Amino acid sequence: MTNTKGFLNRNQLKYLVIAAMLIDHIAWAFVLTASLLGQVMHVIGRLTGPTMAYMLAEGYHYTRNVKKYAMRLGIFAVISWLPFSYFDSRPHGKILIRVVNYVNTLSDTLSSGLINVISDAFTFLITLVVMFVVDWRLALFSLALFPFLIAWVLILQHFQRRAYQVLSNKQSNLNAFIHESIAGVKTTQTFAQETAQFKTFQEQQNDVRTSWMKAVHIQFLMWPGIQTISVMTIAFIYYVGVTGFGAVNVSTGVLIAFVGYANNFWNPVISIGNFYNQLITCSAYLERIFETLDVQPEIRNASDATELPPIEGRVDFNDVIFRYEPDGRNILNLVDLHVKPGSTVALVGPTGAGKTTIINLLSRFYDVAEGSVTIDGHDVRSVTLESLRRQMGVMLQDTFIFSGNVRENIRYGKLDATDAEIEAAAKAVHAHEFIMDLPNGYDTVVEERGSTLSAGQRQLIAFARVLLADPRILILDEATSNIDTRTEEALQAGLNHLLKGRTSFIIAHRLSTIENADMICYIDHGQIVEQGNHAELLAKRGAYYRLYDSQYAMIKV
């Protein structure tokens, strides 16, 4: 992903996450050093101790929060630029757990264990030096079983890492199921499937518990293994000292002192081993985090991409072929369409014919397999995504309302819009009337996905949002599907002057809404079967005529 305005590039984001982890390390080093200083200050003056402790706590928690912020910033920035296909193939719950849970677990592990590791490493080195000073032969014998410790750790690392990878996958599945269940709770209750849904949740939860128990069983083998090797080492030291094995000749006092040093030597080894154990656990989560950071967006700016200048709105589809997979079937097959600036083009046809795919290619949510899509002669692949989409207004079939108030949701189309501009856009699409009937008008708070609004009200707000952006190319995908006929008639009257002067693509199943379009294209099996205005297509008595006649017959009945 190339560097775009307001974002870092992909390599910079990865370095940002790594730097965030280093910040955590530095924070703990700061706490360790300062805590020693705090002890000295406590001896000098009891009053200084609490003040120093407060400063240390504040400094550490601030640094720790900065680290978490940096990690989440890097992950979220990458996710924001990923293509539709990434989200189409992954449950949202699995993405969410990487941004929140995995980052928290990784941060907490580093935060809770690193200061002890620094202290233990210091104790380990000092004790080892003292042991070699006291008797270098006995010190070497005390390290005789150290290779077995390393082998034990490496063996456990392999199995523990695999176990926590499985656990991570099960946790992602559970999180995805919970997210899906909450989003679909209305459907669950409508079909009275609460019991079945709960049973599925129990199965998912049992999978997580089973995987967790298996991973913990392997993890807890680390401590007894290290403890056993340390006990065997102490026994071996006694044997060497008592029997004089290997030309070792020490007094009883030296032997007892050396055993004490050996205990001090192994205690930090056990602590470091436990911390390493936790790091292995976190490595499974870290892999998932970097797996997300390593995803290369299929749709990204070309290395030589240029800014798309202000456009007039001429659109050309030149023998376009599109397929989702390189070896898959053609979704669009040799689509050739040429639209003049300011024209209104309606796309009609059966479900799955390829109508939405055509507008997705125009917005460059996907790239063509063959042929080209150009705007004012500029291939959409040769211009930056930001400059392309900034001049387009897209209202998809599935409207989305953000948490916040109504005014903020409309302003999303143009962040610097004034209140007057927001109200003007709402009036143009006849949303102003119902908005003023809400408890607080434009300041009425709406919940996530606009659950407190009707489907028609959500579409009208989304319509106002798109019009506020004042795009040169307007794309409406089933924009009036959830609006009643009376509102639709009023909306159509308000939109007629707004569509003037801008190129518009309208997908509609209600043919009454597109009768005045400059061009109507009947799409079937990924091809333009018929093309012309309403009167011309009726005169042909072809596919469009049959569709229109069937709708008219239904209304008549």
Side-chain angles (χ1 to χ4, degrees):
M1 180 177 64
T2 56
N3 197 3
T4 54
K5 187 176 180 181
F7 286 90
L8 302 172
N9 63 43
R10 181 166 301 275
N11 289 330
Q12 289 173 329
L13 290 172
K14 290 189 68 173
Y15 294 145
L16 180 63
V17 174
I18 296 173
M21 299 175 189
L22 293 177
I23 290 174
D24 186 75
H25 293 202
I26 296 170
W28 273 115
F30 166 75
V31 171
L32 178 63
T33 305
S35 62
L36 296 175
L37 179 61
Q39 293 296 326
V40 175
M41 297 300 292
H42 181 69
V43 174
I44 296 175
R46 293 174 63 101
L47 216 80
T48 311
T51 304
M52 179 62 71
Y54 173 79
M55 292 175 63
L56 292 176
E58 287 293 311
Y60 165 68
H61 287 297
Y62 173 77
T63 309
R64 183 181 179 188
N65 285 331
V66 168
K67 181 259 306 179
K68 280 188 179 181
Y69 167 81
M71 291 178 70
R72 289 206 181 99
L73 178 68
I75 298 173
F76 188 80
V78 170
I79 290 174
S80 299
W81 283 95
L82 292 178
F84 287 178
S85 57
Y86 179 85
F87 301 98
D88 292 341
S89 60
R90 291 169 178 80
H92 294 175
K94 287 193 173 186
I95 300 173
L96 182 64
I97 197 173
R98 300 183 185 191
V99 180
V100 181
N101 297 45
Y102 291 169
V103 171
N104 283 342
T105 301
L106 185 62
S107 174
D108 293 341
T109 298
L110 293 174
S111 301
S112 60
L114 190 59
I115 188 170
N116 294 328
V117 168
I118 296 175
S119 176
D120 290 333
F122 183 76
T123 302
F124 171 83
L125 293 174
I126 293 299
T127 304
L128 188 62
V129 171
V130 172
M131 289 169 65
F132 272 94
V133 170
V134 172
D135 192 297
W136 65 270
R137 293 185 182 86
L138 204 55
L140 288 176
F141 280 120
S142 67
L143 298 176
L145 298 180
F146 212 77
F148 292 96
L149 171 64
I150 296 175
W152 178 250
V153 170
L154 292 178
I155 291 172
L156 282 185
Q157 174 188 348
H158 172 72
F159 290 101
Q160 185 180 343
R161 186 163 172 264
R162 291 181 60 182
Y164 271 96
Q165 285 175 338
V166 173
L167 175 60
S168 172
N169 186 54
K170 299 296 184 182
Q171 288 175 330
S172 293
N173 291 340
L174 178 62
N175 202 68
F177 177 78
I178 294 173
H179 182 274
E180 183 182 68
S181 298
I182 294 173
V185 67
K186 291 182 180 179
T187 303
T188 300
Q189 294 181 2
T190 298
F191 289 93
Q193 295 296 328
E194 294 90 342
T195 302
Q197 199 75 350
F198 181 73
K199 287 182 179 178
T200 305
F201 173 77
Q202 282 184 313
E203 293 173 0
Q204 297 270 4
Q205 179 67 13
N206 288 337
D207 287 344
V208 171
R209 182 179 62 183
T210 302
S211 300
W212 181 81
M213 289 299 297
K214 182 178 179 180
V216 168
H217 285 159
I218 298 174
Q219 179 181 359
F220 282 178
L221 288 175
M222 179 73 78
W223 181 83
I226 298 177
Q227 190 70 30
T228 300
I229 294 174
S230 69
V231 171
M232 293 175 63
T233 300
I234 298 300
F236 185 59
I237 291 174
Y238 273 121
Y239 172 79
V240 171
V242 172
T243 62
F245 179 80
V248 173
N249 185 16
V250 294
S251 64
T252 302
V254 171
L255 180 60
I256 294 174
F258 202 90
V259 169
Y261 293 138
N263 283 325
N264 287 337
F265 170 82
W266 279 100
N267 286 336
V269 170
I270 294 173
S271 297
I272 293 173
N274 289 334
F275 177 70
Y276 182 69
N277 212 8
Q278 295 175 350
L279 284 183
I280 296 173
T281 300
C282 288
S283 67
Y285 300 145
L286 191 60
E287 285 176 4
R288 293 299 182 96
I289 292 175
F290 277 100
E291 178 185 306
T292 301
L293 293 175
D294 287 337
V295 174
Q296 293 292 333
E298 300 170 4
I299 307 301
R300 55 182 182 270
N301 292 334
S303 57
D304 57 347
T306 59
E307 291 283 318
L308 179 65
I311 61 175
E312 293 182 4
R314 177 177 176 81
V315 176
D316 294 287
F317 287 79
N318 302 305
D319 295 327
V320 168
I321 295 177
F322 173 76
R323 61 184 74 94
Y324 286 106
E325 300 295 335
D327 299 326
R329 69 180 184 87
N330 290 348
I331 306 300
L332 296 180
N333 193 18
L334 295 176
V335 171
D336 198 70
L337 176 63
H338 306 282
V339 181
K340 297 178 180 179
S343 300
T344 298
V345 179
L347 304 177
V348 300
T351 301
K355 303 183 296 295
T356 301
T357 303
I358 290 177
I359 64 172
N360 282 339
L361 294 178
L362 179 60
S363 306
R364 209 189 161 206
F365 292 130
Y366 300 97
D367 274 338
V368 300
E370 298 178 32
S372 65
V373 179
T374 63
I375 299 177
D376 287 0
H378 299 276
D379 193 315
V380 294
R381 293 169 294 185
S382 66
V383 299
T384 62
L385 291 170
E386 185 180 8
S387 64
L388 170 67
R389 295 173 183 169
R390 191 170 51 231
Q391 301 190 60
M392 304 181 71
V394 181
M395 182 174 169
L396 300 175
Q397 187 172 353
D398 183 20
T399 57
F400 191 90
I401 302 297
F402 295 93
S403 299
N405 60 41
V406 175
R407 191 188 309 277
E408 291 170 349
N409 268 279
I410 298 176
R411 183 177 276 129
Y412 198 80
K414 182 183 177 184
L415 297 180
D416 58 348
T418 64
D419 290 347
E421 290 175 322
I422 292 173
E423 292 185 15
K427 289 177 180 177
V429 299
H430 293 267
H432 181 76
E433 292 78 6
F434 90 82
I435 292 175
M436 295 308 297
D437 289 337
L438 296 175
N440 297 310
Y442 285 86
D443 295 319
T444 301
V445 175
V446 292
E447 302 301 328
E448 183 181 5
R449 300 187 69 90
S451 58
T452 55
L453 301 172
S454 69
Q457 289 173 334
R458 291 197 296 269
Q459 279 197 319
L460 288 175
I461 290 176
F463 221 144
R465 178 197 299 162
V466 172
L467 294 177
L468 182 64
D470 191 26
R472 296 302 306 154
I473 296 178
L474 184 63
I475 297 174
L476 308 177
D477 186 355
E478 290 294 334
T480 60
S481 60
N482 292 321
I483 298 175
D484 60 86
T485 306
R486 182 178 178 182
T487 304
E488 183 180 350
E489 291 174 355
L491 176 62
Q492 196 69 37
L495 287 178
N496 284 336
H497 74 278
L498 291 173
L499 296 178
K500 271 185 185 177
R502 76 179 84 230
T503 305
S504 305
F505 287 80
I506 303 175
I507 296 177
H509 287 292
R510 291 187 198 171
L511 300 185
S512 59
T513 62
I514 50 93
E515 290 181 1
N516 296 325
D518 299 310
M519 181 191 302
I520 299 174
C521 298
Y522 187 93
I523 313 295
D524 194 11
H525 292 94
Q527 293 181 310
I528 300 178
V529 178
E530 292 181 350
Q531 182 175 322
N533 59 37
H534 176 70
E536 292 171 347
L537 293 181
L538 287 181
K540 288 182 179 180
R541 303 180 71 85
Y544 179 79
Y545 173 82
R546 290 190 294 273
L547 179 63
Y548 184 83
D549 187 57
S550 64
Q551 286 196 9
Y552 181 76
M554 291 177 61
I555 296 173
K556 197 172 182 179
V557 172

